[in-house]
Amino acid sequence: MHTSDSAIDTHCPYCALQCGMRLRPEPGGATVAVEERTDFPVNRGALCGKGRTAPAVLSSRVRLTQPLVRTHAGQLEPATWEEALDAVAAGLARTGRTHGPDAVGVFGGGGLTNEKAYALGKFARVALRTSQIDYNGRFCMSSAAAAHQRAFGLDRGLPFPLADIPRTGCVILVGSNLAETMPPALRYLTELKAGGGTLIVIDPRRTRTAEQADLHLAPRPGTDLALALGLLHLIVAEGRVDEEFIAARTTGWEETRAAAMAHWPELVERITGIPVPRLREAVALFCAPESAMVLTARGPEQQSKGTDTVGAWINLCLATGRAGRPLSGYGCLTGQGNGQGGREHGQKADQLPGYRKLTDPAARAHVAEVWGVDPDSLPGPGRSAYELLDALGTDVKALLLMGSNPVVSAPRAAHIEDRIRSLDFLAVADVVLSETAALADVVLPVTQWAEETGTTTNLEGRVLLRRRAITPPPGVRSDLDVLHGLAARLGVEKGFPTEPEEVFEELRRASAGGPADYSGITYARIEAEQGVFWPCPQGPEGPEGPGGSEGSPGTERLFLDRFATDDGRARFVPVSHRDAAEVPDADYPLLLTTGRVVAQYQSGAQTRRVDELNAAAPGPFVELHPRLAARIGAVEGSPLAVTSRRGRAVAPARITDTIRVDTVFMPFHWPGEGRANTLTNPALDPTSRMPEFKVCAVRVEPA
């Protein structure tokens, strides 16, 4: 591995904070050291253990350094790049010829840069002519995105910068454990409290984040919707509604109020397990200051009613005038590194670049012109992520997968693993030999964060630039090189450049005029301004930005003057509580919820290869309350079997009084017998198509 002589400013490869860091060659040039980058405003130098140890995955000891092709004997063996690309192109083309273009699927990832996500979506629709493309971000933020679109007309995770959080009066944090999932962001909550603001945390577990709260509410998993409706009922009953704001800036209030009034406090207490006095306390804390925010994460979103649940929290903000005003609003804490940008530029089943709708004729015409193709040649919307994976081996017979590990991360994972094994052909481009890559016919070793240049968009909507700091090992190519080589073999000689900045320039044109308009953003501006917030249209004379009079400065705060709907008003959407798709019964009397731990990330494909992180979090576990442990005879550290209608997982018991008695928790980072997603329910939200990761019925017994 070769390094440059000087330090390079870049960003962490993991979560959506995209913390700033500096990479410096170590003596001898064998690796790089991570240094603090205190000038970057999001993390101000702070890094978690994953960020500090990120260079460990650059080592040739743990990552892929040459293509692998499965032989007739069934083994993955080293091959040349020409052999590997020929095999992938032949497998995809053969399937398309035999069964039609929609028999070929493409599955992307929320960690891909904007350039790679854009190129992958274009490759699917132009080179493969398939509608069957989606990405794993569907498993992360899609319910919040759908609720955002429905209420505000635009989806950007946070409509304000993180720096606004400590300056508001109250934050309700729903289903987020920032202390473990985004440790450098916890300072925003501690600064909020230090400045006199209050923090309400809603989580079935008393996490490290919940311990910071002025008020912690621990609802039964799957009842967040009832909780939000109960709080709105009390806001109406106690005369805390902002009638002036509602009249001036919203529509749909009367129906929404009527729906909320059907959820009286005693009913909500029975559903959620939260006593009525605690509900009243939450309302008083939220309504007392002039400004307040609601922030959600995967807890309320990863449910079969996730869109309605997020919508109910948005209704709470609108009813109290806590939206479209300084230091107030609803925001989603996006999870994956480029979960925001990854869904904006075309790797999602129903979208074109710039967050345009694939079904919009004007959007199709605009993007087709940029791509130099006939709008009628672009396929329509395809299947959502789980539905695409579920169709593998039947309707979809070949798959190109980039930057995802569904064998570990998908719900009902044993079934999805079977579907992947049933494919006629699977090609995987990845940094490491993940559990999914190990099943592939061809594995393509690709560059990672420190070895390539490209943009990402963090949870604030701030477009950032990662700069290449080191030369990748011989035998490794970028995803853009892969798509260029495959497109050429499929007869599309032009349109798939390998230089990231050239791809970004095309992305700018394709996004121009769309909801997520990047046309005024350039690599130079991003570096000069520590990131640029979208939407950022190009001015009449170009994209110079604040340094030049014509360029847009970008949009740090959305909705202050109007919402992004046709009439400029936010839309209340009336919702009512309904049960999770699965509720406990005699056979499966408990609830399982899943999540992350601080030392591992997502499916663990990369972090499980870092010694320091494995020492901190060596394997899966089952967290349960002491009363439940006594009832079933569980002992700390002894193996427990957790069984759902979809399968069985075994992991050591971790007994703690920080979880509800009726609930068990498992982290989802590991494969094998401790794979939490063997158990999870693929029941889908009807709007977002988000699976119900966060709640299913299980039984637990000593293994």
Side-chain angles (χ1 to χ4, degrees):
M1 181 166 58
H2 306 288
T3 61
S4 59
D5 295 329
S6 57
I8 297 291
D9 284 350
T10 188
H11 296 272
C12 178
Y14 291 113
C15 82
L17 279 182
Q18 287 296 282
C19 290
M21 59 168 59
R22 187 165 289 130
L23 297 182
R24 185 177 297 279
E26 293 196 318
T31 185
V32 291
V34 170
E35 298 178 349
E36 290 186 356
R37 185 178 157 195
T38 55
D39 62 322
F40 185 63
V42 172
N43 61 311
R44 291 174 267 165
L47 292 169
C48 74
K50 295 186 290 291
R52 284 188 297 98
T53 60
V57 188
L58 298 168
S59 168
S60 296
R61 182 176 61 85
V62 300
R63 56 94 59 86
L64 293 164
T65 57
Q66 56 188 338
L68 304 173
V69 174
R70 196 169 299 279
T71 66
H72 292 299
Q75 303 300 311
L76 283 172
E77 299 288 350
T80 68
W81 267 98
E82 297 308 303
E83 291 168 339
L85 290 174
D86 285 348
V88 176
L92 300 178
R94 181 174 60 249
T95 302
R97 280 196 311 270
T98 305
H99 302 286
D102 277 357
V104 181
V106 177
F107 199 86
L112 300 180
T113 63
N114 291 318
E115 292 80 357
K116 293 193 282 189
Y118 171 84
L120 187 63
K122 181 181 180 182
F123 176 80
R125 295 177 175 111
V126 173
L128 295 175
R129 301 288 182 92
T130 181
S131 67
Q132 300 302 303
I133 175 171
D134 210 68
Y135 84 127
N136 63 17
R138 179 80 68 171
F139 296 161
C140 276
M141 292 75 55
S142 59
S143 291
H148 248 138
Q149 292 274 18
R150 203 161 69 173
F152 304 133
L154 183 69
D155 160 44
R156 196 180 84 186
L158 292 181
F160 41 73
L162 284 161
D164 282 0
I165 292 174
R167 300 166 57 212
T168 193
C170 178
V171 169
I172 299 180
L173 185 66
V174 190
S176 169
N177 183 12
L178 274 182
E180 299 210 41
T181 59
M182 295 180 173
L186 189 65
R187 67 166 48 172
Y188 291 102
L189 301 181
T190 57
E191 290 169 3
L192 165 78
K193 294 189 65 182
T198 55
L199 174 63
I200 302 168
V201 172
I202 296 169
D203 197 307
R205 304 162 65 222
R206 192 172 75 247
T207 63
R208 287 170 53 196
T209 308
E211 287 172 353
Q212 309 292 317
D214 298 284
L215 176 64
H216 171 219
L217 305 179
R220 186 174 292 112
T223 65
D224 308 86
L225 175 52
L227 177 56
L229 286 160
L231 297 180
L232 183 54
H233 177 113
L234 286 171
I235 283 168
V236 174
E238 295 177 6
R240 299 178 184 270
V241 171
D242 188 334
E243 300 284 1
E244 185 178 339
F245 176 86
I246 290 171
R249 299 201 58 190
T250 72
T251 62
W253 169 236
E254 292 304 322
E255 298 86 349
T256 297
R257 180 174 61 184
M261 297 316 286
H263 296 76
W264 58 94
E266 292 76 15
L267 171 64
V268 171
E269 177 179 324
R270 287 204 301 275
I271 294 170
T272 65
I274 307 295
V276 172
R278 306 297 293 279
L279 300 176
R280 294 188 185 279
E281 185 181 356
V283 166
L285 289 174
F286 183 66
C287 293
E290 287 189 15
S291 59
M293 298 173 178
V294 174
L295 305 177
T296 69
R298 307 301 81 76
E301 298 163 18
Q302 287 181 325
Q303 298 186 30
S304 60
K305 52 182 182 293
T307 302
D308 284 355
T309 302
V310 172
W313 290 106
I314 291 174
N315 289 342
L316 200 72
C317 292
L318 293 175
T320 53
R322 309 303 179 78
R325 286 176 169 171
L327 307 182
S328 287
Y330 163 77
C332 161
L333 298 170
T334 300
Q336 292 191 81
N338 197 31
Q340 181 70 54
R343 66 181 182 265
E344 293 168 2
H345 297 300
Q347 65 168 335
K348 200 158 168 266
D350 54 353
Q351 283 173 199
L352 288 169
Y355 228 139
R356 288 181 158 92
K357 292 181 179 177
L358 191 53
T359 53
D360 177 3
R364 295 169 66 87
H366 174 87
V367 173
E369 183 177 8
V370 173
W371 288 353
V373 299
D374 182 344
D376 292 338
S377 72
L378 298 177
R383 293 174 171 86
S384 71
Y386 181 79
E387 291 164 305
L388 173 56
L389 294 172
D390 190 41
L392 299 181
T394 53
D395 295 334
V396 178
K397 298 180 180 296
L399 183 69
L400 171 65
L401 187 147
M402 281 188 164
S404 188
N405 188 18
V407 165
V408 178
S409 63
R412 197 184 172 197
H415 169 71
I416 295 305
E417 181 176 345
D418 287 344
R419 301 318 317 142
I420 289 171
R421 289 179 181 275
S422 73
L423 282 164
D424 292 348
F425 182 81
L426 172 64
V428 174
D430 210 333
V431 170
V432 297
L433 191 68
S434 70
E435 287 72 22
T436 306
L439 303 179
D441 297 285
V442 181
V443 181
L444 303 172
V446 291
T447 51
Q448 49 183 311
W449 62 291
E451 301 164 346
E452 60 188 13
T453 293
T455 61
T456 61
T457 306
N458 82 343
L459 76 172
E460 308 164 294
R462 187 193 300 253
V463 184
L464 303 168
L465 183 62
R466 291 184 192 158
R467 280 288 189 194
R468 173 171 164 156
I470 56 174
T471 303
V476 173
R477 297 185 183 181
S478 78
D479 296 274
L480 296 179
D481 283 306
V482 168
L483 295 175
H484 173 85
L486 292 177
R489 284 166 172 78
L490 294 169
V492 184
E493 299 286 343
K494 296 181 179 179
F496 292 92
T498 59
E499 285 301 315
E501 192 165 7
E502 188 177 346
V503 178
F504 189 78
E505 289 300 304
E506 184 180 307
L507 181 157
R508 290 177 56 212
R509 297 198 307 276
S511 73
D517 190 334
Y518 281 35
S519 62
I521 305 176
T522 63
Y523 278 21
R525 278 195 63 181
I526 296 171
E527 283 196 302
E529 300 170 34
Q530 297 279 33
V532 181
F533 289 85
W534 72 261
C536 183
Q538 181 168 308
E541 301 301 323
E544 288 86 351
S549 60
E550 302 298 339
S552 164
T555 311
E556 197 171 11
R557 295 172 182 85
L558 296 170
F559 313 138
L560 294 182
D561 300 316
R562 70 189 307 276
F563 294 97
T565 54
D566 292 341
D567 59 6
R569 291 171 172 261
R571 299 188 185 98
F572 280 102
V573 178
V575 293
S576 295
H577 174 71
R578 58 186 187 272
D579 284 335
E582 229 175 44
V583 295
D585 58 20
D587 293 325
Y588 303 96
L590 299 168
L591 292 166
L592 168 72
T593 192
T594 64
R596 286 168 47 189
V597 297
V598 66
Q600 301 288 356
Y601 182 71
Q602 305 299 70
S603 75
Q606 295 184 36
T607 51
R608 285 187 274 111
R609 288 166 166 81
V610 179
D611 292 341
E612 180 180 328
L613 300 178
N614 280 334
F621 57 86
V622 182
E623 189 176 281
L624 72 165
H625 193 276
R627 295 215 307 266
L628 174 59
R631 194 160 77 229
I632 66 172
V635 178
E636 177 73 22
S638 65
L640 284 182
V642 185
T643 308
S644 77
R645 289 178 175 83
R646 288 152 296 282
R648 180 177 185 265
V650 177
R654 183 174 292 186
I655 301 172
T656 173
D657 64 0
T658 60
I659 190 168
R660 291 177 55 97
V661 180
D662 59 2
T663 300
V664 295
F665 167 84
M666 290 185 72
F668 58 75
H669 309 291
W670 288 274
E673 71 170 5
R675 180 173 61 185
N677 278 319
T678 298
L679 308 166
T680 49
N681 191 353
L684 301 180
D685 179 284
T687 303
S688 68
R689 316 309 287 168
M690 166 77 85
E692 191 151 54
F693 287 99
K694 277 295 183 274
V695 52
C696 68
V698 296
R699 66 172 178 267
V700 182
E701 57 215 345

Coordinates of all heavy atoms in Angstrom, one line a residue, residues 32 61 77 193 206 255 270 279 285 439 457 464 478 579 688:
V32 N -1.5 4.2 7.2 CA -1.8 5.6 7.5 C -2.3 5.7 8.9 O -2.9 4.8 9.5 CB -2.8 6.3 6.5 CG1 -2.3 6.4 5.2 CG2 -4.1 5.4 6.5
R61 N -4.2 -7.9 4.6 CA -4.4 -9.1 5.4 C -5.9 -9.4 5.6 O -6.3 -10.6 5.8 CB -3.8 -8.9 6.8 CG -3.9 -10.1 7.8 CD -3.2 -9.8 9.1 NE -3.7 -8.6 9.8 CZ -4.8 -8.7 10.6 NH1 -5.4 -9.8 10.8 NH2 -5.2 -7.6 11.2
E77 N -11.7 -19.2 -7.1 CA -10.3 -19.2 -7.3 C -9.8 -17.8 -7.9 O -10.6 -17.2 -8.6 CB -9.9 -20.3 -8.3 CG -10.2 -21.7 -7.8 CD -9.3 -22.2 -6.7 OE1 -8.3 -21.5 -6.5 OE2 -9.6 -23.2 -6.1
K193 N -28.5 20.1 27.1 CA -28.8 20.1 28.5 C -28.0 21.2 29.3 O -28.5 21.8 30.2 CB -28.6 18.7 29.1 CG -29.5 17.7 28.5 CD -29.4 16.4 29.3 CE -29.8 16.5 30.7 NZ -29.7 15.3 31.5
R206 N -33.1 1.2 28.6 CA -32.5 2.4 29.2 C -31.0 2.3 28.7 O -30.1 1.8 29.4 CB -32.5 2.4 30.7 CG -32.1 3.7 31.3 CD -32.4 3.8 32.8 NE -31.4 3.0 33.6 CZ -31.7 1.9 34.3 NH1 -33.0 1.4 34.3 NH2 -30.8 1.3 35.0
E255 N -59.1 16.6 10.4 CA -59.1 15.2 10.4 C -58.0 14.6 11.3 O -58.2 13.5 12.0 CB -58.9 14.7 8.9 CG -60.0 15.1 8.0 CD -59.7 16.5 7.4 OE1 -58.8 17.2 7.9 OE2 -60.4 16.9 6.4
R270 N -52.5 1.7 28.3 CA -52.7 0.2 28.1 C -51.9 -0.3 27.0 O -51.3 -1.4 27.0 CB -54.2 -0.1 27.9 CG -55.0 0.1 29.2 CD -56.3 -0.8 29.2 NE -57.2 -0.5 28.0 CZ -58.1 0.5 28.0 NH1 -58.2 1.2 29.1 NH2 -58.8 0.7 27.0
L279 N -46.9 10.6 30.4 CA -47.3 11.3 29.2 C -47.5 12.8 29.4 O -47.1 13.6 28.5 CB -48.6 10.6 28.7 CG -48.6 9.1 28.4 CD1 -50.0 8.6 28.0 CD2 -47.6 8.8 27.3
L285 N -42.9 19.2 29.2 CA -41.5 19.5 28.8 C -41.4 20.0 27.4 O -40.6 20.9 27.1 CB -40.7 18.3 29.1 CG -40.4 17.9 30.5 CD1 -39.7 16.5 30.6 CD2 -39.6 19.0 31.2
L439 N -20.8 -16.4 -1.5 CA -21.8 -17.2 -2.3 C -21.7 -16.9 -3.7 O -22.4 -17.5 -4.5 CB -23.2 -17.0 -1.7 CG -23.4 -17.3 -0.3 CD1 -24.9 -17.0 0.1 CD2 -23.1 -18.7 0.1
T457 N -23.2 12.5 1.2 CA -24.1 13.5 1.8 C -24.5 13.1 3.2 O -25.1 12.0 3.4 CB -25.4 13.7 0.9 OG1 -25.0 13.9 -0.4 CG2 -26.3 14.8 1.4
L464 N -20.3 16.3 1.0 CA -18.9 16.3 1.5 C -18.0 15.7 0.5 O -18.5 14.9 -0.4 CB -18.8 15.6 2.8 CG -19.7 16.1 4.0 CD1 -19.7 15.1 5.1 CD2 -19.2 17.5 4.4
S478 N -11.7 0.5 -8.8 CA -12.9 1.2 -8.2 C -14.2 0.6 -8.8 O -14.2 0.0 -9.9 CB -12.8 2.7 -8.5 OG -13.2 3.0 -9.8
D579 N -51.7 -2.5 15.5 CA -50.7 -3.4 16.1 C -49.5 -3.7 15.1 O -49.7 -3.5 13.9 CB -51.3 -4.8 16.5 CG -52.1 -4.6 17.8 OD1 -51.8 -3.7 18.6 OD2 -53.0 -5.5 18.0
S688 N -43.6 2.8 2.5 CA -42.1 2.9 2.3 C -41.5 1.5 1.9 O -40.4 1.5 1.5 CB -41.4 3.3 3.7 OG -41.6 2.3 4.7

